[in-house]
């Protein structure tokens, strides 16, 4: 009898989950429900060629839901781009042999922050799903991406325009370190 009651509970949960028309789900361990969310999965993760971020927002206004999701995704993107560029800069400048190492590090970090801000405006939406909830709110899922090559080219252009850095900066060395850091994104 207890097993029959348990089976009926699981069946009820499954029927409710599939009949609601929302995100698809499956019953997992201990009766937990696994949610399958839009704009997620391996094809939406950062890799060695792209920085990517997925966020969602909910609002009573469709435009506000999209705007909030987009802003959140770009903020998350900026955080991950800054972290990677900072690691790259630290590795590059620690191998830089000069009496002015600290000045070089500060100048490269300042240029990097400028580039990240500029490239965020060039980010592109690669997935957007808008849903209406049962209580008439809008839920927007958005994934944005920025090309790692775009970041590298931006760094190269900015550094080449800085007369002091241009004479000492070794682009190929920097690119190698950057590519290594991007390669680590697949493993995180």
């Amino acid at each position: 009898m207890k097993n029959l009651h348990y089976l009926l509970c699981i069946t009820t949960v499954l029927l409710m989950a599939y009949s609601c028309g929302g995100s698809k789900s499956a019953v997992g361990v201990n009766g937990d429900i696994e949610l399958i969310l839009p704009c997620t999965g391996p094809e939406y993760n950062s890799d060695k060629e792209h920085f990517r971020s997925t966020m969602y927002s909910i609002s009573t206004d469709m435009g506000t839901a999209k705007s909030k999701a987009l802003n959140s995704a770009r903020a998350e993107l900026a955080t991950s781009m800054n972290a990677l560029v900072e690691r790259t800069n630290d590795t590059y400048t620690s191998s830089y042999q000069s009496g002015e190492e600290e000045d070089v590090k500060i100048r490269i970090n300042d240029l990097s922050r400028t580039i990240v801000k500029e490239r965020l405006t060039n980010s592109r939406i690669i997935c957007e799903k808008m849903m209406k909830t049962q209580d008439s709110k809008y839920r927007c899922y958005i994934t944005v991406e920025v090309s790692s090559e775009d970041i590298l080219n931006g760094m190269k252009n900015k550094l080449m325009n800085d007369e002091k850095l241009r004479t000492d900066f070794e682009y190929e060395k920097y690119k190698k370190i950057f590519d290594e850091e991007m390669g680590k994104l697949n493993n995180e």
Side-chain angles (χ1 to χ4, degrees), residues 7 15 17 36-38 46 53 61 67 88 102 110 123 146 152 172 174:
L7 183 61
L15 287 173
I36 301 170
L37 302 172
S46 292
S53 175
D61 177 71
S67 178
T88 302
E102 193 61 32
D110 287 346
S123 64
V146 172
L152 259 178
E172 288 305 318
Y174 186 87

Side-chain angles (χ1 to χ4, degrees), residues 9-55:
C9 286
I10 289 177
T11 304
T12 303
V13 168
L14 281 172
L15 287 173
M16 287 176 58
Y18 286 109
S19 66
C20 289
S23 298
K24 295 189 181 207
S25 59
V27 174
V29 180
N30 298 325
D32 292 344
I33 298 174
E34 176 185 352
L35 300 176
I36 301 170
L37 302 172
C39 302
T40 61
E43 67 272 25
Y44 299 107
N45 294 340
S46 292
D47 57 29
K48 68 181 191 173
E49 295 173 1
H50 296 93
F51 289 97
R52 293 188 182 107
S53 175
T54 300
M55 297 300 263

Side-chain angles (χ1 to χ4, degrees), residues 143-154:
T143 301
V144 293
E145 76 175 8
V146 172
S147 162
S148 61
E149 196 63 35
D150 194 28
I151 298 292
L152 259 178
N153 288 336

Side-chain angles (χ1 to χ4, degrees), residues 126-142:
I126 61 169
C127 181
E128 179 181 343
K129 302 286 182 183
M130 185 68 70
M131 300 182 178
K132 192 167 186 177
T133 65
Q134 291 178 347
D135 58 350
S136 296
K137 292 183 180 176
Y138 296 93
R139 182 177 291 128
C140 183
Y141 294 85
I142 287 185

Side-chain angles (χ1 to χ4, degrees), residues 1-8:
M1 187 68 170
K2 195 174 193 180
N3 286 340
L4 181 62
H5 179 66
Y6 182 70
L7 183 61
L8 285 172

Side-chain angles (χ1 to χ4, degrees), residues 5-180:
H5 179 66
Y6 182 70
L7 183 61
L8 285 172
C9 286
I10 289 177
T11 304
T12 303
V13 168
L14 281 172
L15 287 173
M16 287 176 58
Y18 286 109
S19 66
C20 289
S23 298
K24 295 189 181 207
S25 59
V27 174
V29 180
N30 298 325
D32 292 344
I33 298 174
E34 176 185 352
L35 300 176
I36 301 170
L37 302 172
C39 302
T40 61
E43 67 272 25
Y44 299 107
N45 294 340
S46 292
D47 57 29
K48 68 181 191 173
E49 295 173 1
H50 296 93
F51 289 97
R52 293 188 182 107
S53 175
T54 300
M55 297 300 263
Y56 81 94
S57 182
I58 191 165
S59 176
T60 55
D61 177 71
M62 189 184 318
T64 302
K66 179 178 179 175
S67 178
K68 286 169 54 178
L70 184 59
N71 289 336
S72 296
R74 284 185 173 152
E76 177 68 25
L77 195 61
T79 299
S80 64
M81 287 170 33
N82 278 324
L84 183 127
V85 170
E86 190 173 305
R87 286 192 312 263
T88 302
N89 293 347
D90 287 346
T91 303
Y92 176 79
T93 55
S94 69
S95 67
Y96 183 78
Q97 298 298 318
S98 172
E100 299 174 2
E101 182 177 324
E102 193 61 32
D103 184 46
V104 168
K105 187 173 185 175
I106 290 168
R107 292 170 71 94
I108 290 175
N109 283 334
D110 287 346
L111 288 174
S112 299
R113 280 189 281 280
T114 301
I115 288 156
V116 167
K117 285 179 188 173
E118 288 173 359
R119 295 311 179 254
L120 279 176
T121 60
N122 295 336
S123 64
R124 67 185 194 105
I125 297 171
I126 61 169
C127 181
E128 179 181 343
K129 302 286 182 183
M130 185 68 70
M131 300 182 178
K132 192 167 186 177
T133 65
Q134 291 178 347
D135 58 350
S136 296
K137 292 183 180 176
Y138 296 93
R139 182 177 291 128
C140 183
Y141 294 85
I142 287 185
T143 301
V144 293
E145 76 175 8
V146 172
S147 162
S148 61
E149 196 63 35
D150 194 28
I151 298 292
L152 259 178
N153 288 336
M155 283 293 291
K156 182 179 180 181
N157 293 337
K158 287 284 185 192
L159 289 165
M160 293 301 131
N161 288 331
D162 185 306
E163 187 176 328
K164 183 167 177 57
L165 290 176
R166 182 178 53 227
T167 58
D168 297 326
F169 185 71
E170 298 174 44
Y171 174 73
E172 288 305 318
K173 184 177 182 180
Y174 186 87
K175 183 180 184 319
K176 182 178 184 268
I177 295 167
F178 184 88
D179 289 342
E180 288 171 3

